[in-house]
Structures are given as C-alpha cells and as structure tokens.
Amino acid sequence: MPSFAHLFETFVSSAPLFLKGALLTFELSLASVLIGLAIGLFFAFLSLSKIRALNAISNFYITLVRGTPLIVQIFVLYFGLTDVVQISGFLAATLALAFHNGAYLSEIFRGAIQSIDRGQYEAAKSLGMTSYQTYARIILPQAFLRALPALGNQFIIALKDSSLAAFISMDELFNMATTQGANNFDQMTYLIIVAVYYLVMVMALSHLVNLVEVKLKRSGAT
Amino acid sequence: MAHFLEAKGITKNFGELQVLKGIDLSVNKGEVICLIGASGSGKSTFLRCLNFLEIATSGSIEVDGQAIDPKTSDLNQYRANLGMVFQHFNLFPHMSVLENIIEAPIRVKKVKKSQAIETAMVLLKKVDLEDKAHEHPARLSGGQKQRVAIARALAMRPSLMLFDEPTSALDPETVESVLKTMRVLASEGMTMIVVTHEIGFARAVADRVCFIHEGRIWEQGSASELLDNPKEERTKEFLKAVMV
C-alpha cells in the first residue's frame, strides 16, 4: 500500500490531468444519459403499445442489452460504427453507453407509466384532452416524478459504467489512472486516486437527486 | 320536445358477462336524473358509456339530435362538452388546485390563460375554496377534493354533468359540502345525471329517479313516485335495504 503522504502528494500533482479526465467522464455520462433517456422513453412506449410487433421490437432490444456484457456492446458499436462512418471515439462511446442505458431506462419508464392510476387517464379523457395532451401534461410528469429515485440510481450506474470507455482509448478518468499507473510503475496509488474521484462524483450526484426529491415532496407534487 | 340526450338500447359486455342489457334513457335540458341501484347493477357502467369512457357493445347515443359514433365522431370534442365527476376525484396530483382547473380550458378550448384563471377563481368561490387555489390536492380533505373536481369539470362550461358516486369515497362529515354544491348546480338549471346512494339527495333534487337492476332500468319515476311508492318488488327491497 502506498503511504498516505505519497498518495496525497500524487493526488495534488496529478490533479490537472485527472480533472481533465473527470470532465470527460462527466461529459460522456451526461451525453449518454440524455440520449439514453430519449431512447428509453421511445422503447417504453413501444413496450406499452397495443401492437404486438412493437412490443417484440422493444423486447428484443432489452433482451439484447441485458443479455450481453457492456464491454462487448461498446466494442461492437465502436468497431461497427467506425467501420461504416467516420465518427469520433467520443461519439462512439456516447452512443454505445446510451444504447446500453436506454434499455434500463425504458424499463424504469415503463414501470413508472404503468403505475399511474387509470383514473388519471379517464379524468384527462373526460375533459376532452387528446392522447398526446394526456401523456405530455398528465401521465409523463407524474411518471417522471415516480421514476426519479430509480433514474438517479441508473445515472450513478451510467457514471461508473463510463469507465469502460477507457478500452476504446477515451482519455476519461479510468484511462488516466491506468496510463499514469503504468508510466510511473505505481498502479495502486493511481487506482486509489481514481476511486476517490468516482466516489466524490457519485456522492455529489446522489446528493443532487436527493435534493430534487425533497424539493418535489415539499411542494406537495408527489 | 326533442330530448337533449337520448340513449337507446345500450348494452355492454365484459367478456362473457353482460353488464348492461339494453338501457333507454332520454334526458331533457335542465333535468336532474338520479340513478340508484345496488353495486354491480351497471349504473356506473351506463354512465361511463354516455361519455364513451366505456364503448357500449350495442345501442346508440344522440346528443342534440346528433348521433355519436365512437368510430367517426370527434370523441374529445364530445367529451369536452360533458363534465364528469368521479368517485375517487382523479385530480391531477402534480398540479395545484388552480392548475387542475385551468388545464383543460387552456389546452382543449384554447382559452387565454388570464381568462381561464379568472373563470377558475369564480368557480372556486362558488365551491367555497378560493383560499385553496395554490394548494396541491394532497393537502385537501376528500370533500374539498371533490369540490375542486366539480369546479374543474364546470370550467369547461359543459352542457351536461355526469356524477359517478361523487360522495361514496368521502368521510361522512364532508359529504354535505359536496351535496350542497350539487344542489346549487341543480337549482341553476344544470342538466345532471347522478349515480348515487344518497337517497335523501335524490328525493330533494332529482326530477326523475331510475332504479337500475341487473343491467336494466327496472323502474323509474319522479322522486316521490319511485322512492315513496315503488311498484316493483325489487325496488321496494332495495329501498328498504338502503334506508334503514
């Protein structure tokens, strides 16, 4: 084990590099979660559709994502995509992570939408609202509030999963740690440091989710 | 005189089970009709068929002489003209009382927001809840929630109000406030169809009372005829059971 003094010293001296890595990790996670939310909502509606073929499509997607390791998905998408079109590693990694998160997010959305009482649809209908208005104004806002804890959890998973982008040579946090560790023949120090970075980011994120939840509860909206 | 609403031969099957076995009902403008009957008799299902929350298996519904066909008519536009009040209120919990009331006028009728708010405040005053405009429904009692639900339906300026057991889910002490609101509405000439277990309300307000039994209108008449001098054995049994 490296000494505490050594750890601290390395932590400070490596901070400029690691902060850059942390920024990339943050960007990668945020972009993939945002795209993943759109994908997730889309497939949630396919799952909830009365049309069997659409259910089957979404079922296939979710099974595929859940049934294969993320690292395989990242490699397949990265080499698959860069083979066909010229795209950056960042875009490939973002899309791969979004594709992965989208499946889990779609299940979260589906569950939340299904948990909304039938009476809410009926009330909206009885007021003459269209299906689109009913979903946009009545069902989805409530479903989103209900899904918030699970969404927060999925965001945390997405943040940590983004470390796998190191394997397609993205200079995000984890890649920084392994390269620095190898260059300096000091793996453990850099691994501990990178763990601290992830921990702090995850704690900040959970705190943020908690804040939003408390605020919503206080407003009486849930 | 032409009836305002005319339902003919309404039947409804849920799978093998036939819940409605052919109901005819004509409603005149300004009339208050109470539907009474045991639970499972089909009275709520019939009410829900009138605004197509349930699609009747057979039968026809005409409003102002216009046949409403669920396949070709604009049901949203049709429903916007009928107010519905539910047993469990079905207020939108993520919106304040005021937002609940102005939502449909703004989105469906394209009323200006300032005007929708103005109308909503008048309605809230009418149901005696103007001080609750900015509360969320979760902070209200059952009776208050139901009065908000009534205001929400009225905000669409409906020509007919449907009430589906509006007081059945309420604590006894808040029932009266809702019934009072409904009495005021009736006295103002609102056309109303009310599914209820409140025999006292039916006696005081209804122009006509229909006793529904096994998916049919078993007997109907004026409140005093049906409630005080029922002819059918089934009606007598039911009234005896609910009026103890």
Side-chain angles (χ1 to χ4, degrees):
Chain A
M1 272 300 271
S3 75
F4 184 76
H6 175 64
L7 260 175
F8 186 76
E9 205 176 291
T10 318
F11 183 85
V12 173
S13 65
S14 68
L17 260 183
F18 271 81
L19 284 174
K20 252 170 83 186
L23 183 66
L24 189 59
T25 288
F26 177 74
E27 289 170 346
L28 202 53
S29 312
L30 188 69
S32 65
V33 159
L34 288 180
I35 300 172
L37 283 174
I39 297 177
L41 197 58
F42 177 73
F43 280 97
F45 276 114
L46 292 194
S47 294
L48 292 167
S49 164
K50 285 185 191 125
I51 301 165
R52 287 264 177 85
L54 299 182
N55 302 158
I57 292 172
S58 127
N59 201 5
F60 175 74
Y61 163 60
I62 292 165
T63 308
L64 193 69
V65 169
R66 283 210 286 220
T68 56
L70 174 55
I71 188 67
V72 175
Q73 293 164 19
I74 290 175
F75 276 148
V76 168
L77 268 165
Y78 178 59
F79 291 115
L81 282 177
T82 44
D83 229 24
V84 184
V85 281
Q86 202 65 34
I87 59 165
S88 66
F90 180 80
L91 192 57
T94 304
L95 289 180
L97 289 166
F99 172 80
H100 180 80
N101 283 306
Y104 291 93
L105 291 167
S106 86
E107 285 292 272
I108 292 172
F109 278 132
R110 183 181 59 78
I113 291 170
Q114 277 177 327
S115 78
I116 303 297
D117 184 57
R118 207 166 55 106
Q120 293 290 308
Y121 294 88
E122 292 187 347
K125 250 190 190 178
S126 78
L127 289 163
M129 295 175 79
T130 62
S131 297
Y132 175 77
Q133 288 169 336
T134 303
Y135 275 101
R137 301 285 308 167
I138 309 299
I139 306 303
L140 290 181
Q142 292 184 62
F144 187 77
L145 291 180
R146 227 170 257 193
L148 208 59
L151 288 178
N153 200 33
Q154 188 59 37
F155 292 173
I156 288 168
I157 292 172
L159 178 74
K160 293 191 290 181
D161 278 355
S162 71
S163 61
L164 290 173
F167 293 97
I168 53 171
S169 29
M170 292 301 299
D171 282 333
E172 49 67 68
L173 268 179
F174 185 65
N175 203 10
M176 289 288 178
T178 47
T179 28
Q180 290 302 309
N183 291 347
N184 298 301
F185 302 104
D186 192 4
Q187 316 284 6
M188 192 47 79
T189 303
Y190 288 98
L191 286 173
I192 291 172
I193 288 171
V194 81
V196 171
Y197 275 90
Y198 277 114
L199 195 59
V200 169
M201 288 174 87
V202 166
M203 282 166 66
L205 190 55
S206 344
H207 188 65
L208 190 71
V209 173
N210 274 340
L211 273 183
V212 176
E213 265 181 72
V214 168
K215 200 162 175 238
L216 288 171
K217 274 222 178 84
R218 233 179 249 152
S219 74
T222 44
Chain B
M1 184 188 126
H3 299 295
F4 170 61
L5 180 144
E6 192 148 21
K8 277 188 200 149
I10 302 294
T11 69
K12 177 69 187 176
N13 300 354
F14 289 112
E16 296 282 285
L17 185 73
Q18 187 168 41
V19 179
L20 300 179
K21 294 171 182 161
I23 292 191
D24 301 310
L25 185 74
S26 315
V27 186
N28 295 318
K29 261 253 157 307
E31 206 176 6
V32 177
I33 296 179
C34 284
L35 307 178
I36 61 172
S39 40
S41 60
K43 53 198 192 310
S44 286
T45 305
F46 174 64
L47 196 72
R48 293 160 59 82
C49 284
L50 291 180
N51 71 349
F52 295 92
L53 284 184
E54 306 285 357
I55 307 291
T57 307
S58 67
S60 68
I61 293 170
E62 274 184 24
V63 174
D64 268 339
Q66 282 253 310
I68 311 297
D69 180 347
K71 288 195 188 74
T72 56
S73 306
D74 182 350
L75 286 184
N76 294 322
Q77 199 191 339
Y78 169 72
R79 290 189 187 110
N81 191 33
L82 305 187
M84 174 119 180
V85 174
F86 299 87
Q87 181 177 359
H88 295 288
F89 332 123
N90 298 344
L91 293 177
F92 306 133
H94 60 304
M95 295 181 177
S96 72
V97 164
L98 185 65
E99 288 165 343
N100 262 277
I101 298 174
I102 63 174
E103 179 67 20
I106 292 176
R107 305 280 156 187
V108 178
K109 283 197 154 179
K110 314 292 180 201
V111 173
K112 270 208 212 101
K113 189 173 181 189
S114 58
Q115 203 189 333
I117 291 175
E118 208 174 297
T119 313
M121 291 313 292
V122 172
L123 288 169
L124 278 175
K125 190 166 181 180
K126 185 173 179 153
V127 299
D128 209 13
L129 288 170
E130 23 180 358
D131 54 328
K132 303 287 187 197
H134 300 288
E135 295 280 5
H136 272 82
R139 309 243 167 131
L140 305 182
S141 74
Q144 291 171 332
K145 281 182 197 166
Q146 197 58 297
R147 282 180 284 149
V148 172
I150 292 172
R152 179 175 71 175
L154 290 175
M156 293 297 281
R157 304 201 176 287
S159 45
L160 168 68
M161 285 284 284
L162 307 172
F163 291 85
D164 188 6
E165 303 198 28
T167 59
S168 297
L170 299 179
D171 293 328
E173 70 268 23
T174 67
V175 168
E176 183 46 35
S177 71
V178 172
L179 292 182
K180 189 179 139 204
T181 305
M182 291 168 64
R183 277 198 297 269
V184 171
L185 266 188
S187 72
E188 290 171 354
M190 175 62 79
T191 313
M192 296 164 59
I193 304 178
V194 186
V195 171
T196 188
H197 294 289
E198 297 286 338
I199 301 298
F201 174 82
R203 191 193 306 278
V205 178
D207 297 304
R208 191 155 29 120
V209 180
C210 302
F211 171 63
I212 298 193
H213 183 66
E214 289 179 350
R216 290 194 177 85
I217 295 184
W218 206 261
E219 183 174 359
Q220 60 177 312
S222 71
S224 58
E225 277 169 8
L226 188 110
L227 298 173
D228 300 329
N229 295 301
K231 293 183 184 64
E232 298 288 334
E233 209 44 50
R234 292 284 183 201
T235 318
K236 286 178 195 167
E237 277 172 28
F238 173 76
L239 288 171
K240 215 167 117 188
V242 295
M243 287 205 290
V244 275

